[in-house]
Amino acid sequence: QVQLVESGGGLVQAGGSLRLSCATSGRTFSSYAMGWFRQAPGKEREFVAAINWSGGSTDYADSVKGRFTISRHNAKNTVYLQMNSLKPEDTAVYYCAADPGTIVVLTTAPGYWGQGTQVTVSS
Protein backbone atom coordinates (compact mmCIF):
# COMPACT_ATOMS: atom_id res chain seq x y z
CA GLN A 1 0.00 0.00 0.00
CA VAL A 2 2.93 2.33 0.62
CA GLN A 3 4.43 3.72 -2.57
CA LEU A 4 7.43 6.05 -2.79
CA VAL A 5 8.35 8.14 -5.82
CA GLU A 6 11.62 10.08 -5.94
CA SER A 7 12.29 13.14 -8.06
CA GLY A 8 14.79 15.96 -8.36
CA GLY A 9 17.87 14.08 -9.47
CA GLY A 10 20.07 15.31 -12.27
CA LEU A 11 23.48 16.59 -13.27
CA VAL A 12 25.17 19.24 -11.17
CA GLN A 13 28.63 20.79 -10.96
CA ALA A 14 30.84 20.03 -7.98
CA GLY A 15 30.12 22.52 -5.21
CA GLY A 16 26.56 22.96 -6.38
CA SER A 17 23.26 22.05 -4.77
CA LEU A 18 20.33 19.80 -5.50
CA ARG A 19 17.10 18.97 -3.69
CA LEU A 20 15.54 15.54 -3.90
CA SER A 21 11.88 14.88 -3.14
CA CYS A 22 10.09 11.69 -2.20
CA ALA A 23 6.32 11.64 -2.52
CA THR A 24 4.35 8.93 -0.73
CA SER A 25 0.94 7.51 -1.49
CA GLY A 26 -0.99 7.10 1.72
CA ARG A 27 -2.07 8.29 5.10
CA THR A 28 0.51 6.10 6.83
CA PHE A 29 3.29 8.49 5.84
CA SER A 30 2.98 10.70 8.90
CA SER A 31 3.68 7.79 11.25
CA TYR A 32 6.66 6.38 9.33
CA ALA A 33 10.33 6.99 9.75
CA MET A 34 11.74 8.11 6.40
CA GLY A 35 15.18 8.20 4.89
CA TRP A 36 17.53 8.19 1.95
CA PHE A 37 20.06 5.65 0.72
CA ARG A 38 22.35 5.73 -2.28
CA GLN A 39 24.13 3.26 -4.49
CA ALA A 40 27.06 4.03 -6.75
CA PRO A 41 28.05 1.74 -9.64
CA GLY A 42 29.78 -1.38 -8.38
CA LYS A 43 29.09 -0.55 -4.74
CA GLU A 44 26.62 -1.62 -2.09
CA ARG A 45 23.68 0.53 -1.17
CA GLU A 46 24.56 2.80 1.75
CA PHE A 47 22.65 4.82 4.28
CA VAL A 48 22.60 8.60 3.79
CA ALA A 49 20.04 10.22 6.09
CA ALA A 50 16.93 9.49 8.15
CA ILE A 51 14.18 11.38 9.93
CA ASN A 52 11.61 10.23 12.46
CA TRP A 53 7.84 10.57 12.16
CA SER A 54 7.65 14.04 13.71
CA GLY A 55 10.79 15.44 12.12
CA GLY A 56 12.26 16.06 15.56
CA SER A 57 15.13 13.61 15.19
CA THR A 58 17.52 13.08 12.30
CA ASP A 59 20.54 10.96 11.54
CA TYR A 60 23.22 11.31 8.85
CA ALA A 61 26.07 9.34 7.45
CA ASP A 62 29.42 10.87 8.37
CA SER A 63 30.19 11.47 4.71
CA VAL A 64 27.29 13.92 4.31
CA LYS A 65 27.11 15.64 7.70
CA GLY A 66 27.16 19.39 7.36
CA ARG A 67 26.29 19.20 3.67
CA PHE A 68 22.96 17.36 3.44
CA THR A 69 19.73 18.11 5.27
CA ILE A 70 16.73 15.81 5.48
CA SER A 71 13.28 17.22 6.19
CA ARG A 72 9.65 16.26 5.80
CA HIS A 73 6.29 17.88 5.20
CA ASN A 74 3.71 15.43 6.48
CA ALA A 75 0.71 17.35 5.15
CA LYS A 76 2.18 16.92 1.66
CA ASN A 77 3.27 13.33 2.29
CA THR A 78 6.74 14.32 1.14
CA VAL A 79 10.29 13.98 2.42
CA TYR A 80 13.19 16.03 1.08
CA LEU A 81 16.95 15.78 0.89
CA GLN A 82 18.72 19.10 0.43
CA MET A 83 22.22 18.45 -0.86
CA ASN A 84 24.77 21.25 -0.75
CA SER A 85 28.49 21.40 -1.53
CA LEU A 86 28.15 18.35 -3.73
CA LYS A 87 31.21 16.29 -4.57
CA PRO A 88 31.85 13.85 -7.41
CA GLU A 89 31.82 11.02 -4.87
CA ASP A 90 28.17 11.85 -4.16
CA THR A 91 27.32 10.49 -7.61
CA ALA A 92 24.88 7.62 -7.17
CA VAL A 93 21.31 6.49 -7.53
CA TYR A 94 19.44 7.87 -4.53
CA TYR A 95 16.60 5.84 -3.05
CA CYS A 96 13.86 6.96 -0.72
CA ALA A 97 12.98 4.54 2.06
CA ALA A 98 10.25 4.20 4.68
CA ASP A 99 9.56 2.05 7.71
CA PRO A 100 6.81 2.04 10.36
CA GLY A 101 9.46 1.69 13.06
CA THR A 102 12.21 3.91 14.38
CA ILE A 103 15.15 5.57 12.68
CA VAL A 104 17.35 2.73 13.90
CA VAL A 105 15.17 0.18 12.13
CA LEU A 106 15.06 2.22 8.95
CA THR A 107 18.83 2.57 8.73
CA THR A 108 19.27 -1.20 8.73
CA ALA A 109 16.24 -2.71 7.01
CA PRO A 110 13.61 -0.34 5.60
CA GLY A 111 10.27 -1.88 4.80
CA TYR A 112 9.63 0.14 1.65
CA TRP A 113 11.74 1.53 -1.18
CA GLY A 114 11.29 3.96 -4.01
CA GLN A 115 12.53 3.39 -7.55
CA GLY A 116 15.53 5.69 -7.26
CA THR A 117 16.70 8.89 -8.92
CA GLN A 118 20.10 9.48 -10.48
CA VAL A 119 22.39 12.18 -9.10
CA THR A 120 25.55 12.93 -11.07
CA VAL A 121 28.13 15.42 -9.82
CA SER A 122 30.70 16.53 -12.34
CA SER A 123 34.14 17.90 -11.54
Side-chain angles (χ1 to χ4, degrees), residues 52-76:
N52 76 337
W53 67 270
S54 69
S57 297
T58 58
D59 191 26
Y60 298 92
D62 288 342
S63 60
V64 305
K65 285 182 179 178
R67 300 188 299 120
F68 290 11
T69 302
I70 188 170
S71 62
R72 66 192 298 165
H73 194 307
N74 287 349
K76 296 181 179 179

Side-chain angles (χ1 to χ4, degrees), residues 12-15 67 85-92 119-123:
V12 65
Q13 188 84 10
R67 300 188 299 120
S85 302
L86 283 162
K87 306 174 181 179
E89 51 263 45
D90 294 319
T91 296
V119 172
T120 302
V121 184
S122 65
S123 59

Side-chain angles (χ1 to χ4, degrees), residues 39-60:
Q39 187 169 23
K43 297 183 178 180
E44 297 294 321
R45 191 171 299 187
E46 65 175 348
F47 167 74
V48 175
I51 188 167
N52 76 337
W53 67 270
S54 69
S57 297
T58 58
D59 191 26
Y60 298 92

Side-chain angles (χ1 to χ4, degrees), residues 6 36-40 42-48 93-97 107 110 112-116:
E6 302 96 331
W36 292 91
F37 290 70
R38 66 187 182 187
Q39 187 169 23
K43 297 183 178 180
E44 297 294 321
R45 191 171 299 187
E46 65 175 348
F47 167 74
V48 175
V93 176
Y94 283 70
Y95 296 90
C96 182
T107 59
Y112 302 93
W113 295 93
Q115 82 288 348

